[in-house]
């Protein structure tokens, strides 16, 4: 596929940036810990599961190597398949964990503005791609972006840097042709992944970062409200154009 250059690419994290996904993720994490007989982490630590790859978060929380594959399997079963949670968007219906989730108000309008301004919008998430796409379909994000890129199921592509490189390979990103990109996300993983790919990261203060987390990891700017998103992106690329 041929892409026009120069491209202006906006990479968008999913959980905590586009959707408020903590209820479903945390509920599935608890199911996984219970299934393998490991004590469930406290609430503060459960919140830290949102953003990093699930495999890494479980290792960090003392699930032993011989139970890790089973814990991830249980998590993915409840997250992707088992409709056992109350749908916050449709009371009385049961949904799997991935849909125990809501879209942040204002996100569709902000993405529409950016798309109309000519940006290539790509979801870039550490969630496995086969899980991310149904979430984006359900919340009508798919029709507002140009691509959806996630982690692989074989653990060969799990962190944000590897997902960004995968996205770039798929869209023909080429700095030599003056392509420019910006990562947008709510956790340190987004900032560190962007830096590993020589990108800046715009921090989203409405997500799941702990106090000062985004600044300490090197986000060039943090915005507090969804309605600031398109303006902040426009300012960033305008500044880069005149630098």
């Amino acid at each position: 596929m041929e892409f026009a250059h120069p491209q202006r690419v906006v990479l968008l994290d999913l959980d905590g940036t586009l959707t408020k996904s903590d209820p479903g993720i945390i509920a599935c994490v608890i199911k996984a810990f219970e299934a393998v007989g490991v004590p469930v982490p406290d609430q503060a630590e459960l919140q830290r599961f949102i953003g990093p790859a699930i495999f890494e978060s479980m290792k960090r929380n003392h699930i032993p190597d011989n139970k890790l594959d089973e814990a991830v399997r249980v998590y993915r079963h409840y997250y992707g398949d088992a409709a056992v949670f109350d749908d916050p968007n449709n009371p009385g219906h049961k949904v799997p964990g991935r849909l125990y989730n809501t879209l942040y108000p204002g996100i569709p309008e902000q993405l529409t503005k950016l798309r109309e301004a000519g940006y290539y919008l790509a979801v870039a998430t550490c969630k496995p791609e086969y899980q991310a796409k149904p979430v984006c379909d359900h919340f009508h994000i798919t029709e507002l972006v140009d691509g959806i890129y996630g982690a692989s199921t074989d653990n060969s592509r799990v962190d944000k840097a590897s997902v960004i490189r995968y996205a770039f390979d798929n869209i023909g990103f080429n700095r030599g042709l003056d392509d420019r990109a910006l990562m947008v996300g709510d956790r340190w993983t987004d900032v560190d992944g962007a830096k590993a790919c020589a990108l800046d990261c715009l921090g989203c203060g409405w997500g799941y970062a702990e106090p000062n987390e985004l600044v300490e990891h090197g986000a060039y700017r943090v915005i507090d409200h969804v309605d600031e998103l398109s303006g902040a992106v426009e300012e960033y690329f305008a500044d880069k154009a005149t630098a």
Side-chain angles (χ1 to χ4, degrees):
M1 184 175 179
E2 292 294 326
F3 291 91
H5 300 274
Q7 296 187 85
R8 295 181 302 166
V9 179
V10 181
L11 300 164
L12 300 151
D13 177 53
L14 183 56
D15 296 321
T17 299
L18 303 181
T19 69
K20 186 179 186 303
S21 56
D22 58 298
I25 291 173
I26 289 173
C28 296
V29 167
I30 291 170
K31 293 279 192 187
F33 274 78
E34 290 174 345
V36 298
V38 175
V40 175
D42 63 23
Q43 191 60 38
E45 186 57 36
L46 286 171
Q47 288 287 328
R48 298 186 184 107
F49 274 78
I50 302 148
I54 189 68
F55 201 88
E56 296 300 324
S57 293
M58 287 183 170
K59 286 175 65 176
R60 189 182 70 247
N61 280 277
H62 315 300
I63 289 186
D65 289 346
N66 66 335
K67 294 184 176 182
L68 196 54
D69 286 345
E70 175 63 7
V72 171
R73 186 198 67 77
V74 171
Y75 172 86
R76 289 177 173 170
H77 169 68
Y78 282 102
Y79 190 80
D81 302 316
V84 298
F85 305 108
D86 292 324
D87 185 352
N89 306 291
N90 192 359
H93 290 76
K94 297 290 187 181
V95 292
R98 60 185 165 84
L99 302 182
Y100 186 14
N101 191 356
T102 53
L103 191 66
Y104 284 112
I107 284 295
E109 293 80 3
Q110 293 298 305
L111 298 185
T112 297
K113 287 181 181 179
L114 290 170
R115 195 93 173 278
E116 290 175 347
Y119 293 95
Y120 183 100
L121 304 184
V123 173
T125 175
C126 289
K127 187 187 301 302
E129 194 169 295
Y130 82 93
Q131 293 178 349
K133 287 184 174 180
V135 172
C136 291
D137 289 346
H138 182 78
F139 290 108
H140 303 289
I141 294 168
T142 302
E143 57 252 46
L144 299 175
V145 300
D146 300 285
I148 299 166
Y149 303 99
S152 61
T153 56
D154 64 359
N155 298 320
S156 64
R157 184 177 69 249
V158 295
D159 63 10
K160 189 55 60 93
S162 62
V163 170
I164 291 172
R165 295 186 185 105
Y166 166 66
F168 281 173
D169 287 346
N170 277 272
I171 66 178
F173 186 82
N174 188 335
R175 285 187 174 88
L177 296 176
D178 291 327
D179 290 348
R180 297 291 180 267
L182 173 67
M183 183 70 221
V184 177
D186 71 300
R187 293 300 315 274
W188 65 268
T189 48
D190 300 303
V191 184
D192 285 9
K195 288 167 65 177
C197 297
L199 301 179
D200 290 321
C201 183
L202 173 64
C204 300
W206 58 84
Y208 298 111
E210 297 183 19
N212 300 315
E213 174 186 313
L214 292 165
V215 172
E216 288 173 359
H217 278 261
Y220 86 94
R221 177 181 176 184
V222 178
I223 54 175
D224 293 323
H225 303 289
V226 169
D227 60 10
E228 299 176 79
L229 178 57
S230 60
V233 170
E234 292 271 34
E235 289 174 23
Y236 176 81
F237 282 93
D239 290 345
K240 286 295 181 183
T242 58

